[in-house]
Amino acid sequence: MTTDDAGAKSSLQRGIAILRMLADSNESGARLTDIARDLNLTPPTVHRILKTLVEEGMVEADKSTKRYRLGIDLFTMAARAGNPNNLRDICRPIMLRLSATLRDTIFLLVRSGFDAVCLDRSEGPFPIRSFTGDIGGRVTLGVGQGSLAILAFLPDEEREEVIRFNLPRMQGVGILDEVYLRTEIARVRDLGYASRSTGLLPGMSGVAVPVLDREGHAVAALSVGTITERLNEERLPVVVDILKREAAGVCRQLNPFDPVLRRPAAVLGSGAS
Amino acid sequence: MTTDDAGAKSSLQRGIAILRMLADSNESGARLTDIARDLNLTPPTVHRILKTLVEEGMVEADKSTKRYRLGIDLFTMAARAGNPNNLRDICRPIMLRLSATLRDTIFLLVRSGFDAVCLDRSEGPFPIRSFTGDIGGRVTLGVGQGSLAILAFLPDEEREEVIRFNLPRMQGVGILDEVYLRTEIARVRDLGYASRSTGLLPGMSGVAVPVLDREGHAVAALSVGTITERLNEERLPVVVDILKREAAGVCRQLNPFDPVLRRPAAVLGSGAS
DNA sequence: AGAAAGTTTCCGATATACGGAATAAATGGG
DNA sequence: CCCATTTATTCCGTATATCGGAAACTTTCT
């Protein structure tokens, strides 16, 4: 039983597996038969599950091409997911302020397992490339400044675990070897920010600061992505300073209980409904 | 059997129902018992389904508070949804260009049932409020300029259906009555854009143009949201002109078969794997 | 500390999902 | 244009995975 297809049993699991598959083949969508083949399911089974998923609005079926893709309902759900501790809501105005002030693109990253995930992004006027790409994008934890800033400020054991797991995944993405990575991490911990240009995205640079919890461990990173010229010796310290200040502000809001007031600080709720 | 809880049977449907519920109570997450109560399920059932969802990474359980919320895996997966015909990918660079050029916030809306959904957004330097709010946000189809631009250019029967369904939902959001709405729609069809300030968001205005398919029906809307001063008589026509040009460009890219070449135009696939 | 509410495990009955086989629809080739 | 082939969909008997009552266990509240 542990040999070939170790797992997928319940219809719920199969349904999720199908959603996963659709997420990966999203450009054009996937056909029923392909799904059945890839997931080792029979066409009737896939058909029935897809029917349910379509009825529930999680999947859309293109009647003409018979291709299935993830539905907009699911997209709407994503907007409400990935908001741990209201992090995204808290950071939104800050990111707007930052991108308006700095005139660069701001990213909010959080850790997810051995990856960093882009939770939000606020565009500046300069077109840029980043490792995580769009909102929802993932990158190996440690690759890229934001990602590195998180890794550097993880609790010791967790950091070691991630390093062990991720080193093999980092081949060819700028991490030369373990020594190099550890040197970088030490540097970031020392400076309080990550800024080295990796040279992997030509002309692009970034600088990131961790968002820390009260134990001093990273829960997220605020990151600026821009063209290399815009992070010169003159500008870098200014940007770092601003970022650090904002990160500290986020940290304060993340700890909802004000030590003085002994109650949740400054509730938002200005909007209706 | 058709009386009270007409529906939810399969574990897949129950699983999705739970995800839906978690999406609605996402600030703080939901507890097992609450879910069971709201969905008319027994605690053991909810427990088992949640366990599966957690194993699959769709849901995260806060061990300490025993609260469940949507997981980041779902966030990542769902971020890849809502990209019909590559619309989002196609529009991304255009939106960046627009927000950089106009220095205002750009929205990309698509229809989803009787709502418009914000597929993407590119921030300008002016802080603004909008009906759809963030990416993934929904608004009644017809409320707001982008939403109205889509409604106005829907196929006749569909438009009627939406109007019939949505009129009751529009009370108190600026739509006075059916006559007013129909007048507005006619206006939008005539001008080719939607721009009236609704006065619902004080100081805010917007202008939107539909993205049409080759039958002339709306598949989406490109919308500019800004402060009212910035859409004065002088600037409005310029903005409309730019928007229309970009929308036409999107339209061209949406129809992948070039009428001359008779083959898919400009395939992307620059990346590996 | 005791009570109440919530969570998790267990297990037998049964409802639900599975997939083979057959049918229908679409695709493609001659 | 028709026939062969692939793909999608329906049907239904079987078997298995799901359900929920009961109970053990944990946490929260008073």
Side-chain angles (χ1 to χ4, degrees), chain A:
Chain A
M1 267 62 175
T2 56
T3 45
D4 51 346
D5 60 0
K9 279 160 183 133
S10 74
S11 70
L12 179 53
Q13 284 171 311
R14 287 170 207 243
I16 293 172
I18 289 177
L19 289 178
R20 280 236 170 71
M21 194 189 151
L22 290 179
D24 287 338
S25 61
N26 203 39
E27 344 77 49
S28 50
R31 291 180 316 169
L32 188 146
T33 318
D34 301 330
I35 299 171
R37 195 180 310 112
D38 283 28
L39 301 179
N40 278 312
L41 299 172
T42 59
T45 298
V46 175
H47 182 256
R48 189 165 23 78
I49 294 178
L50 276 175
K51 203 168 138 215
T52 302
L53 289 172
V54 169
E55 279 165 7
E56 294 289 334
M58 311 304 281
V59 167
E60 282 165 10
D62 187 325
K63 280 276 186 179
S64 62
T65 65
K66 295 286 181 59
R67 294 186 110 91
Y68 295 87
R69 60 169 88 99
L70 298 183
I72 286 195
D73 269 28
L74 196 62
F75 183 75
T76 299
M77 256 189 172
R80 306 200 184 170
N83 192 11
N85 306 314
N86 277 317
L87 185 64
R88 207 151 47 100
D89 290 344
I90 288 172
C91 289
R92 179 109 276 265
I94 289 168
M95 296 178 69
L96 289 176
R97 190 161 60 228
L98 280 171
S99 68
T101 308
L102 299 176
R103 310 211 63 212
D104 279 314
T105 300
I106 313 296
F107 297 95
L108 174 64
L109 304 181
V110 293
R111 176 187 174 192
S112 169
F114 297 105
D115 290 343
V117 174
C118 175
L119 264 199
D120 202 358
R121 159 213 71 192
S122 185
E123 309 277 356
F126 296 91
I128 65 124
R129 298 246 109 233
S130 79
F131 291 107
T132 42
D134 216 339
I135 292 174
R138 305 181 87 97
V139 69
T140 302
L141 201 56
V143 174
Q145 291 83 17
S147 189
L148 185 61
I150 294 175
L151 178 57
F153 285 89
L154 244 35
D156 292 352
E157 328 81 51
E158 288 186 43
R159 188 171 61 244
E160 288 306 317
E161 194 190 351
V162 173
I163 291 175
R164 222 174 308 124
F165 185 91
N166 273 356
L167 265 171
R169 304 169 70 201
M170 290 173 160
Q171 304 309 335
V173 283
I175 310 300
L176 305 174
D177 58 18
E178 183 164 351
V179 175
Y180 175 80
L181 177 61
R182 288 189 184 279
T183 310
E184 283 297 293
I185 289 175
R187 218 177 114 85
V188 172
R189 289 184 66 89
D190 188 42
L191 293 170
Y193 67 88
S195 83
R196 270 274 176 90
S197 165
T198 59
L200 282 180
L201 301 172
M204 293 291 139
S205 287
V207 53
V209 301
V211 175
L212 305 174
D213 62 17
R214 47 162 59 102
E215 281 90 34
H217 299 142
V219 298
L222 278 174
S223 163
V224 174
T226 187
I227 50 183
T228 305
E229 302 94 273
R230 286 177 60 78
L231 279 182
N232 53 33
E233 285 170 14
E234 182 185 23
R235 200 157 178 274
L236 180 61
V238 181
V239 173
V240 167
D241 198 55
I242 295 175
L243 277 182
K244 279 187 177 175
R245 186 156 40 238
E246 294 289 12
V250 174
C251 174
R252 242 173 283 123
Q253 288 188 66
L254 273 179
N255 299 306
F257 281 89
D258 185 296
V260 178
L261 299 174
R262 292 271 72 189
R263 62 170 177 77
V267 190
L268 354 130
S270 57
S273 155

Side-chain angles (χ1 to χ4, degrees), chain B residues 9 93 95 102 138 147 168 184 217 228 237 240 247 251 263 269:
Chain B
K9 281 162 181 136
M95 297 178 67
L102 299 176
R138 303 180 90 96
S147 190
E184 284 296 295
H217 299 141
T228 304
V240 167
C251 174
R263 61 172 178 76

